[in-house]
Amino acid sequence: MNIKEVKRALIGEPFPTSHEIHERLDKVRALAIFASDPISSNAYATEAIMSVLIVLGSGALAMTLPLAMGVAALVLLVVFSYIQTILHYPDGGGAYTVAKDNLGTYPALLAGAALLTDYILTVSVSVSAGVRAVTSAVPEVFEYRVWIALLAIAFITWVNLRGVRESGTVFAFPTYAFVGGVLLVIGFGLVRYFGLFGAPPLPHMEETVAPQESLAGFAYIWLLLRAFAGGCTALTGIEAISNGVQAFKPPESRNAAITMVAMGTIAMSLFVGITFLATHMALIPEEAESILSQMTRNVTQGGFLYFWVQFFTAMILFLAANTGYQDFPRLSSFLARDGFLPRWMQNRGDRLVFSSGIVVLAAISSLIVVVFRADEIAMLPLYALGVMLSFTLSQAGMSNLMRKVGTLKPGENMHTGITRIHYESGWRWKRAVNIIGAITTGVVFIILTATKFAEGAWIIALAIPIMVYTFYRVHKHYDKVANALTTEHFEEQNLGEVADIALVPIADVHRGTLLALQYAKRISSDVRAISVSTTPAMHQRIEARWARFPRLTDGVELVIIDYDYRDILEPLVNYIEHVNSTEFPCQLVTIVVPEFVSSNMFGQFLHNQTANMLRTRLKYMPDVIVIDVPYHIAADEKPSNDVTQRYLVL
Amino acid sequence: MNIKEVKRALIGEPFPTSHEIHERLDKVRALAIFASDPISSNAYATEAIMSVLIVLGSGALAMTLPLAMGVAALVLLVVFSYIQTILHYPDGGGAYTVAKDNLGTYPALLAGAALLTDYILTVSVSVSAGVRAVTSAVPEVFEYRVWIALLAIAFITWVNLRGVRESGTVFAFPTYAFVGGVLLVIGFGLVRYFGLFGAPPLPHMEETVAPQESLAGFAYIWLLLRAFAGGCTALTGIEAISNGVQAFKPPESRNAAITMVAMGTIAMSLFVGITFLATHMALIPEEAESILSQMTRNVTQGGFLYFWVQFFTAMILFLAANTGYQDFPRLSSFLARDGFLPRWMQNRGDRLVFSSGIVVLAAISSLIVVVFRADEIAMLPLYALGVMLSFTLSQAGMSNLMRKVGTLKPGENMHTGITRIHYESGWRWKRAVNIIGAITTGVVFIILTATKFAEGAWIIALAIPIMVYTFYRVHKHYDKVANALTTEHFEEQNLGEVADIALVPIADVHRGTLLALQYAKRISSDVRAISVSTTPAMHQRIEARWARFPRLTDGVELVIIDYDYRDILEPLVNYIEHVNSTEFPCQLVTIVVPEFVSSNMFGQFLHNQTANMLRTRLKYMPDVIVIDVPYHIAADEKPSNDVTQRYLVL
């Protein structure tokens, strides 16, 4: 079974390009697919706030609910703002597209870099949180969590490399099962909280945690800001719908906007509900069991519903990770298309997916999982930073777009480069919302960076500028290439002239070199065999062997260079340079290299790598063309028993 | 500073081949150089016996001296046997040479493999023991011993890559300083032992170790055999002189033989002396401090002489490691010369040393140091195995040689292939000694393998056959190559015919591909450009651009292959195979590949690696010749600002 067959078995038969499917989703399935990321944030967002407040002791956890309300308000603002984007960019308007259309190249690259970091962390965080849902229910496997997480990433990678062709139905179930399960838990919790139907009151945790710190004034506010920043992870993934408007059934924009509102409502109901019950029961963040698991266990007393919620928490989190596999390869293919990433990142693989993007994403997110020991709470300081920056840029871009809308007269329309805009009556207040959104998310971005800097946000603060610089360097390189290859102002006679010379470096005279000589004689009337001799014996031997083949060597000059060192590459290259510069300046000189090809790796390894090194050196010489004349050793060639019969190959 | 300059700074300017120095050594310096390995064994050989016996408690250490005497007797037998070898192989007679000359190829390969393992362990063991001499005196650095050992290996490697051109004097001092120092300590020890000159009696260690085991009968004998096997490490390096007879001043053989006797005498005096005093003082093996260090400390009460001995113990051990750097590269160059190792192992580097052998040795011995945490006592079970096997084979070979000597009449002589032998009157008893030597060392080899198998000897027992098999495979491959390249029974007209066709795979029409087309037109009258189009837009684009260059494309057929998958390598290769098999069967078909060359690595990475993959595929096709027409992007090319102007390159 060779590599190709292994690939076929794993990935499946290649799809023809024309088989591409453009599936359209109804709102119910679209919600499930696009909302898994923001809805699944509920598995850790409340905990992210509580784990900061706990340093002030159990008492401070009462601040969790007000902070969660603040996060919920932010979510609604962003949702409203993105509805504008959906309506104006019906072909898909991620932050990169909107920033490129309205703010220019550098803001767009900034948004692109920010989103790429965000997508990577979506995978790492969601998978780790999913594994924690598993280990909360089955504590025995806690010590294997890194391996389980890596296995999950490998599985998701495999599914995505095969290409996901199943209808949205398969994906819809876990999302609704999770939402339904958590809503039931919240419902039961509220019934018990209000003492309805004679239900037993909710348990209140007795154990309290003493304050580790006592803070006042600015330090207290700083801590609240840090807790708020933690909760902002609930905002990740909100932008997904704006990228995928074309996946909706018509009317696309309208359906996408309605789905967006539904998504925001559901996500925020769960977030506030979970936070309310968790703080009321005075739950304490623990490493081994998540807050959501503790809450569900206490409300349901660990019955069937508990395992239902835990199971679908894990499922929806793995689905959320899967959205990273949709977003990252797509955005990197956009960047590659625009010349900011290596162009091969826009090539689709055998199964019509962006294979290289998928592999890069899997590698980086696995690395993060290993470094952070699959602890998603520790990763959160890196998360949400990218998404906030992209929100800010996207809304700043939308505000610019709205200004342009304002310049149109009723009935007028214009094309911005990416989308077509029409006059809108309410452009002023829409623009105001965008500006408020941009400022708010911008401030939250600064809070996030400042409060989480030492905990890991510095990694992202460092990575984003480096990525933008890389985009710039890549783009500059492609420009250089385009310039060099351009056929503008190009005269057909301007190409280099080919000199009538063929130089054949040889180490010995054998079938391989004789074949190369024969080829050289066919393409040139001035053929010279060049041999570097390091001992007098070698000199004599090559002359003697040369004389044995009068027909093939007829008309060919034999140049033997005597050399008192062992590295024969130097004199060969020097001779070639000398011939080029003195006899054929500014012309293309042809080098015919007899190459010895063995059918197995073992054979390749045994031979002096001189031919390879020579080829590499010649490749960088400006006026040299290399011809490889391979001489094949068949695998079934019978070995002779004559040990003394040896030939030198380059 | 590029790689070449770094190499120059580290290794120095290259030496011309003709500068080779054949320094001749007098006996005093030769002894120092060749004897460092066997003499330095005294740093650990006694301890190797004691560390086995200690499981029976302190009382059992009394058996150390009798066992050491047995080892000393074995040394004298081997020394005497090797003197025969020296006299009969004045050009150098290592076990490989002797076995090849008298026993045949496979015994020679066995000897070669055994000696290579031995030389590797010489480095690992000596360096580790040298570091232990340091850490015995300076216990504070004990925890850094692995790093110190690796640093020492790196230093010795560096010295050897530069090429050791200093006279033997530099090397002579540490050896004599060590021998002198230890003899002084033994002398003082004996003075105190016999109570001469009113010296205080030797201290007797109070602490005793209780037996961990109690053995009787066969188990007791087995333990004694294991202890004896440990002591046999004292024999390593004895054969060095036989390899280096040519380094002596004339009369070479005689001087070498005298030096051999001196070496054996000195090494054994030290061994027996150290063992006598160590057992008399009832020293106990410890991990942190060697027996030699304990003994010296007790005799000298830790004065200047103690530090002298410790310092020169470390020095002579590093010198002993250095002998591995002489022997391993030389033996592997012999094996490479005879076609049993890759031929490049016989190439000498810039400084006329066998650089690849040195690097391979450094890598493997460092690995062993890391795996065994620089604990030479733990490595000893692997050591001495190879040397015993090579002794056995060498002496068996000598016994065969002596049989041949016996067939000559007085005054007659004959050439064996490697050396010339004459009639000798005493051949019978000389042969008897060789046979006894072969049997004895063979039995010791079996004892070593059996008693140390579980402790690590299995590694060597596994490595040696694998190495022999590799030698065989390498040799078979070279035979196959020689057979394929042979010009025997070769008719000059038998070489493949070159078809008048040039296929040019192109991705786009730009300066690079136009240059390739121009070159193809020069060498062939039937030129076809082949382009794989994966979308209708690509198809149209290439046709349109083709039409723009009527002069260069005149007479060239444009073949566009429409393909509904993304991997364009397949249709290209299929087309080439089709043309080859249908239009030009059994003829050489030429492929001209326009290759895009960027001046930096970054640029290479950015481009589709299709051209490289195509070249690799074509290399293994039997009737295909590849021409690379490079198109260079200069480093100072000014980038255009026209982002939309992009060209596809393969």
Side-chain angles (χ1 to χ4, degrees):
Chain A
M1 192 139 130
N2 60 28
I3 290 180
K4 206 167 175 177
E5 286 165 334
V6 172
K7 194 178 165 192
R8 284 288 150 272
L10 281 175
I11 308 296
E13 288 300 314
F15 293 136
T17 310
S18 49
H19 275 210
E20 198 161 14
I21 288 174
H22 290 287
E23 195 191 13
R24 294 301 184 119
L25 299 167
D26 57 41
K27 291 191 285 293
V28 173
R29 288 186 296 166
L31 177 68
I33 288 175
F34 289 114
S36 62
D37 186 5
I39 289 179
S40 69
S41 307
N42 283 301
Y44 47 79
T46 302
E47 187 157 358
I49 300 176
M50 296 171 81
S51 63
V52 174
L53 294 176
I54 195 70
V55 299
L56 295 184
S58 319
L61 294 181
M63 283 305 295
T64 308
L65 192 57
L67 290 172
M69 305 292 282
V71 172
L74 188 59
V75 169
L76 294 181
L77 182 66
V78 171
V79 164
F80 185 81
S81 188
Y82 260 99
I83 288 174
Q84 294 303 318
T85 308
I86 289 170
L87 296 174
H88 289 90
Y89 288 90
D91 290 336
Y96 173 69
T97 309
V98 173
K100 192 175 136 192
D101 202 24
N102 297 293
L103 300 175
T105 304
Y106 280 94
L109 294 182
L110 207 57
L115 281 175
L116 288 183
T117 67
D118 183 54
Y119 296 148
I120 293 166
L121 281 154
T122 296
V123 176
S124 307
V125 168
S126 301
V127 166
S128 300
V131 171
R132 206 146 82 105
V134 173
T135 61
S136 294
V138 191
E140 291 76 16
V141 298
F142 180 69
E143 61 177 306
Y144 306 110
R145 62 197 186 283
V146 174
W147 292 109
I148 301 173
L150 292 179
L151 209 71
I153 291 178
F155 178 78
I156 298 171
T157 305
W158 173 68
V159 168
N160 277 280
L161 283 176
R162 279 190 76 92
V164 185
R165 316 215 106 213
E166 290 71 23
S167 79
T169 317
V170 177
F171 289 99
F173 189 69
T175 304
Y176 287 109
F178 172 79
V179 171
V182 175
L183 281 179
L184 262 180
V185 171
I186 292 172
F188 283 144
L190 290 177
V191 165
R192 290 178 64 178
Y193 175 74
F194 291 112
L196 301 178
F197 316 119
L202 280 177
H204 193 86
M205 295 301 103
E206 291 309 312
E207 43 165 348
T208 52
V209 176
Q212 298 166 32
E213 299 179 35
S214 153
L215 300 172
F218 177 74
Y220 182 65
I221 293 173
W222 183 254
L223 190 92
L224 289 185
L225 285 177
R226 280 178 55 210
F228 174 76
C232 284
T233 51
L235 275 78
T236 55
I238 289 186
E239 82 289 358
I241 290 180
S242 69
N243 284 317
V245 182
Q246 281 304 308
F248 284 82
K249 286 190 174 158
E252 292 88 356
S253 291
R254 196 184 131 80
N255 283 336
I258 293 170
T259 308
M260 187 102 191
V261 171
M263 178 186 81
T265 312
I266 293 173
M268 285 313 98
S269 311
L270 298 189
F271 185 44
V272 173
I274 291 170
T275 307
F276 176 76
L277 287 176
T279 49
H280 178 70
M281 290 191 273
L283 301 176
I284 309 287
E286 281 170 24
E287 200 196 350
E289 184 172 15
S290 68
I291 285 289
L292 180 61
S293 169
Q294 290 182 47
M295 182 195 92
T296 311
R297 193 193 295 277
N298 277 311
V299 170
T300 65
Q301 268 112 22
F304 172 76
L305 184 55
Y306 171 73
F307 286 99
W308 174 281
V309 169
Q310 286 309 111
F311 179 76
F312 285 106
T313 304
M315 285 297 107
I316 195 176
L317 281 163
F318 293 146
L319 273 187
N322 192 60
T323 62
Y325 277 83
Q326 308 291 319
D327 295 333
F328 182 96
R330 182 175 45 209
L331 179 55
S332 49
S333 82
F334 288 167
L335 285 162
R337 177 200 63 201
D338 295 344
F340 294 111
L341 276 179
R343 204 171 281 152
W344 43 258
M345 290 202 80
Q346 64 172 316
N347 292 356
R348 283 178 305 170
D350 284 344
R351 304 282 281 191
L352 289 168
V353 296
F354 297 110
S355 318
S356 24
I358 291 174
V359 172
V360 169
L361 175 64
I364 306 179
S365 58
S366 298
L367 182 72
I368 294 174
V369 163
V370 171
V371 169
F372 285 89
R373 311 277 320 135
D375 178 1
E376 85 278 12
I377 301 293
M379 295 174 199
L380 291 181
L382 283 71
Y383 201 23
L385 213 65
V387 80
M388 282 299 161
L389 181 54
S390 72
F391 285 164
T392 309
L393 291 163
S394 156
Q395 288 175 97
M398 286 306 294
S399 122
N400 256 12
L401 188 78
M402 283 301 157
R403 193 178 39 74
K404 277 187 225 151
V405 167
T407 62
L408 296 175
K409 294 200 180 67
E412 258 188 2
N413 69 60
M414 69 176 280
H415 202 273
T416 62
I418 292 180
T419 194
R420 179 168 296 281
I421 50 176
H422 305 263
Y423 171 78
E424 291 172 48
S425 55
W427 70 271
R428 274 179 221 278
W429 70 262
K430 286 176 186 165
R431 189 172 177 219
V433 170
N434 288 134
I435 290 173
I436 293 169
I439 291 172
T440 313
T441 51
V443 168
V444 173
F445 170 71
I446 292 165
I447 292 174
L448 274 172
T449 313
T451 59
K452 303 287 183 185
F453 195 81
E455 292 169 53
W458 63 269
I459 300 172
I460 302 299
L462 201 69
I464 290 177
I466 291 174
M467 286 165 78
V468 171
Y469 178 70
T470 309
F471 297 157
Y472 163 79
R473 279 291 308 275
V474 170
H475 196 263
K476 199 172 144 189
H477 173 84
Y478 279 125
D479 271 347
K480 236 160 79 171
V481 172
N483 222 38
L485 295 179
T486 184
T487 47
E488 269 171 52
H489 321 295
F490 166 74
E491 303 295 321
E492 293 196 37
Q493 56 276 25
N494 267 2
L495 285 171
E497 203 183 316
V498 181
D500 180 18
I501 175 96
L503 301 176
V504 189
I506 64 172
D508 202 339
V509 182
H510 49 61
R511 277 175 184 260
T513 47
L514 291 172
L515 181 66
L517 284 175
Q518 192 196 27
Y519 192 88
K521 281 168 78 175
R522 215 192 131 285
I523 62 165
S524 170
S525 61
D526 179 358
V527 177
R528 300 179 206 169
I530 318 159
S531 181
V532 178
S533 146
T534 56
T535 63
M538 261 179 87
H539 191 121
Q540 283 164 20
R541 176 188 154 95
I542 203 140
E543 274 186 334
R545 291 190 55 80
W546 186 261
R548 278 185 51 196
F549 306 96
R551 236 178 75 146
L552 282 165
T553 59
D554 175 48
V556 179
E557 186 186 346
L558 173 64
V559 181
I560 303 183
I561 304 169
D562 289 310
Y563 192 60
D564 202 11
Y565 295 83
R566 278 74 53 207
D567 175 18
I568 65 169
L569 215 59
E570 282 304 313
L572 276 181
V573 170
N574 288 344
Y575 181 83
I576 292 167
E577 273 173 351
H578 179 76
V579 167
N580 190 8
S581 61
T582 58
E583 297 183 52
F584 307 99
C586 301
Q587 293 181 43
L588 291 169
V589 169
T590 300
I591 318 293
V592 180
V593 181
E595 190 185 14
F596 174 82
V597 180
S598 180
S599 54
N600 53 25
M601 287 290 294
F602 188 71
Q604 293 294 335
F605 175 74
L606 286 181
H607 293 279
N608 280 315
Q609 298 295 325
T610 316
N612 286 335
M613 289 193 290
L614 180 63
R615 201 177 303 109
T616 308
R617 281 287 289 274
L618 295 178
K619 189 167 150 181
Y620 292 98
M621 283 173 62
D623 293 327
V624 162
I625 283 175
V626 175
I627 303 185
D628 289 308
V629 178
Y631 194 82
H632 294 265
I633 306 289
D636 54 353
E637 200 98 39
K638 254 201 253 153
S640 84
N641 289 318
D642 177 8
V643 178
T644 61
Q645 186 193 43
R646 297 255 168 266
Y647 297 95
L648 294 171
V649 292
L650 265 187
Chain B
M1 190 140 130
N2 60 28
I3 289 179
K4 207 168 174 176
E5 286 166 334
V6 172
K7 195 177 163 193
R8 285 287 150 271
L10 281 175
I11 308 295
E13 288 300 315
F15 292 135
T17 310
S18 49
H19 275 209
E20 199 161 13
I21 288 175
H22 291 286
E23 194 190 12
R24 294 301 182 119
L25 299 168
D26 57 40
K27 291 191 284 294
V28 173
R29 287 188 294 167
L31 177 69
I33 288 176
F34 288 114
S36 62
D37 186 4
I39 290 180
S40 69
S41 306
N42 285 299
Y44 47 79
T46 301
E47 187 158 0
I49 299 175
M50 296 171 82
S51 63
V52 173
L53 295 175
I54 194 72
V55 300
L56 296 183
S58 318
L61 294 180
M63 284 305 294
T64 309
L65 191 57
L67 290 171
M69 304 292 282
V71 171
L74 188 59
V75 169
L76 294 180
L77 181 67
V78 170
V79 163
F80 185 80
S81 187
Y82 261 99
I83 288 175
Q84 294 303 318
T85 308
I86 289 171
L87 296 174
H88 289 92
Y89 288 90
D91 291 336
Y96 174 69
T97 309
V98 173
K100 191 174 137 193
D101 202 24
N102 297 293
L103 300 175
T105 304
Y106 281 93
L109 294 181
L110 208 55
L115 280 175
L116 288 182
T117 67
D118 182 53
Y119 296 149
I120 293 167
L121 282 154
T122 295
V123 176
S124 308
V125 168
S126 301
V127 165
S128 301
V131 171
R132 206 147 83 106
V134 173
T135 60
S136 293
V138 192
E140 291 76 16
V141 297
F142 180 70
E143 62 177 306
Y144 306 109
R145 63 195 185 285
V146 174
W147 293 108
I148 300 173
L150 292 179
L151 210 71
I153 291 179
F155 178 77
I156 298 170
T157 305
W158 172 68
V159 168
N160 278 281
L161 283 176
R162 279 190 78 91
V164 185
R165 317 215 107 214
E166 289 72 24
S167 77
T169 318
V170 177
F171 289 99
F173 189 69
T175 303
Y176 287 109
F178 172 78
V179 171
V182 175
L183 282 179
L184 262 181
V185 171
I186 293 172
F188 283 143
L190 291 176
V191 164
R192 292 178 62 179
Y193 175 74
F194 290 111
L196 301 178
F197 317 119
L202 280 176
H204 193 88
M205 294 302 103
E206 291 309 312
E207 44 166 348
T208 53
V209 177
Q212 297 166 32
E213 298 179 37
S214 155
L215 300 172
F218 177 75
Y220 182 65
I221 292 172
W222 183 254
L223 189 91
L224 289 185
L225 285 176
R226 280 178 56 210
F228 173 75
C232 285
T233 50
L235 274 78
T236 55
I238 289 186
E239 83 289 358
I241 290 180
S242 69
N243 284 316
V245 183
Q246 281 303 308
F248 284 81
K249 285 190 175 158
E252 292 88 355
S253 291
R254 196 184 130 81
N255 283 336
I258 293 170
T259 308
M260 187 102 191
V261 171
M263 176 186 82
T265 312
I266 293 174
M268 285 313 99
S269 310
L270 298 188
F271 185 44
V272 173
I274 292 171
T275 307
F276 176 77
L277 288 177
T279 48
H280 178 72
M281 288 191 275
L283 300 176
I284 309 286
E286 283 171 21
E287 199 197 350
E289 185 172 14
S290 67
I291 286 289
L292 180 61
S293 169
Q294 291 182 47
M295 182 196 91
T296 311
R297 195 192 294 278
N298 278 310
V299 171
T300 64
Q301 269 113 25
F304 171 76
L305 184 55
Y306 171 73
F307 286 99
W308 174 281
V309 169
Q310 286 308 112
F311 179 75
F312 285 107
T313 304
M315 284 296 105
I316 195 177
L317 282 162
F318 293 146
L319 273 188
N322 192 60
T323 62
Y325 278 83
Q326 308 290 319
D327 296 333
F328 183 97
R330 181 177 45 210
L331 179 54
S332 50
S333 80
F334 288 167
L335 285 162
R337 177 201 62 200
D338 295 344
F340 294 111
L341 277 178
R343 206 171 278 152
W344 43 257
M345 290 203 81
Q346 64 171 318
N347 291 356
R348 283 177 305 171
D350 284 343
R351 304 283 279 193
L352 288 167
V353 296
F354 298 109
S355 318
S356 23
I358 292 174
V359 171
V360 169
L361 175 64
I364 305 179
S365 58
S366 298
L367 182 72
I368 294 174
V369 163
V370 171
V371 169
F372 286 88
R373 312 273 323 132
D375 178 0
E376 85 279 11
I377 301 293
M379 295 173 198
L380 291 181
L382 283 72
Y383 200 23
L385 214 64
V387 79
M388 282 299 161
L389 181 54
S390 72
F391 285 164
T392 309
L393 291 162
S394 155
Q395 290 176 96
M398 285 306 293
S399 124
N400 257 11
L401 188 77
M402 282 301 154
R403 195 179 39 74
K404 277 187 226 153
V405 168
T407 63
L408 297 174
K409 293 196 183 69
E412 259 189 5
N413 69 61
M414 67 175 282
H415 203 273
T416 62
I418 293 180
T419 193
R420 180 169 294 281
I421 52 176
H422 305 263
Y423 170 77
E424 290 171 49
S425 56
W427 69 270
R428 274 178 221 278
W429 69 263
K430 286 177 187 165
R431 189 174 175 217
V433 171
N434 289 136
I435 291 173
I436 294 169
I439 292 171
T440 314
T441 51
V443 169
V444 174
F445 169 72
I446 292 165
I447 292 173
L448 273 170
T449 313
T451 59
K452 303 287 183 183
F453 195 82
E455 292 168 52
W458 63 269
I459 301 172
I460 302 298
L462 201 70
I464 290 177
I466 290 174
M467 286 165 78
V468 171
Y469 178 70
T470 309
F471 297 157
Y472 163 78
R473 279 290 308 275
V474 169
H475 196 263
K476 199 173 144 189
H477 173 85
Y478 280 126
D479 270 346
K480 234 160 78 172
V481 172
N483 221 38
L485 295 179
T486 185
T487 47
E488 271 170 49
H489 323 293
F490 166 74
E491 303 295 321
E492 294 195 37
Q493 56 275 28
N494 267 2
L495 285 171
E497 205 182 315
V498 181
D500 181 18
I501 175 98
L503 302 175
V504 189
I506 63 172
D508 203 340
V509 182
H510 50 62
R511 278 174 184 260
T513 48
L514 291 173
L515 181 66
L517 284 176
Q518 192 196 29
Y519 191 89
K521 280 167 78 175
R522 214 193 132 284
I523 63 164
S524 170
S525 60
D526 179 0
V527 177
R528 301 177 205 168
I530 319 159
S531 182
V532 178
S533 144
T534 56
T535 63
M538 260 179 87
H539 191 121
Q540 282 163 20
R541 176 187 153 94
I542 202 138
E543 273 186 336
R545 291 190 55 79
W546 186 262
R548 276 186 51 196
F549 306 97
R551 233 178 75 143
L552 282 164
T553 59
D554 176 48
V556 179
E557 186 187 345
L558 173 63
V559 180
I560 302 182
I561 305 170
D562 289 311
Y563 192 60
D564 202 11
Y565 295 83
R566 280 75 52 206
D567 175 17
I568 65 168
L569 215 58
E570 282 304 313
L572 276 182
V573 171
N574 288 343
Y575 181 82
I576 292 167
E577 273 173 349
H578 179 77
V579 168
N580 190 6
S581 61
T582 59
E583 298 183 53
F584 307 98
C586 299
Q587 293 181 44
L588 290 169
V589 169
T590 301
I591 318 294
V592 180
V593 182
E595 190 186 13
F596 174 82
V597 181
S598 179
S599 54
N600 53 25
M601 286 289 295
F602 188 71
Q604 292 296 335
F605 175 75
L606 286 180
H607 293 279
N608 280 317
Q609 298 297 324
T610 316
N612 284 335
M613 288 193 291
L614 180 64
R615 201 177 303 109
T616 307
R617 282 286 289 272
L618 296 178
K619 190 168 151 181
Y620 290 98
M621 283 172 63
D623 294 328
V624 162
I625 283 176
V626 175
I627 303 185
D628 289 307
V629 178
Y631 195 82
H632 294 266
I633 306 290
D636 55 351
E637 201 99 38
K638 254 202 255 154
S640 83
N641 288 318
D642 177 7
V643 179
T644 60
Q645 186 192 42
R646 297 258 167 264
Y647 298 94
L648 294 171
V649 291
L650 263 187

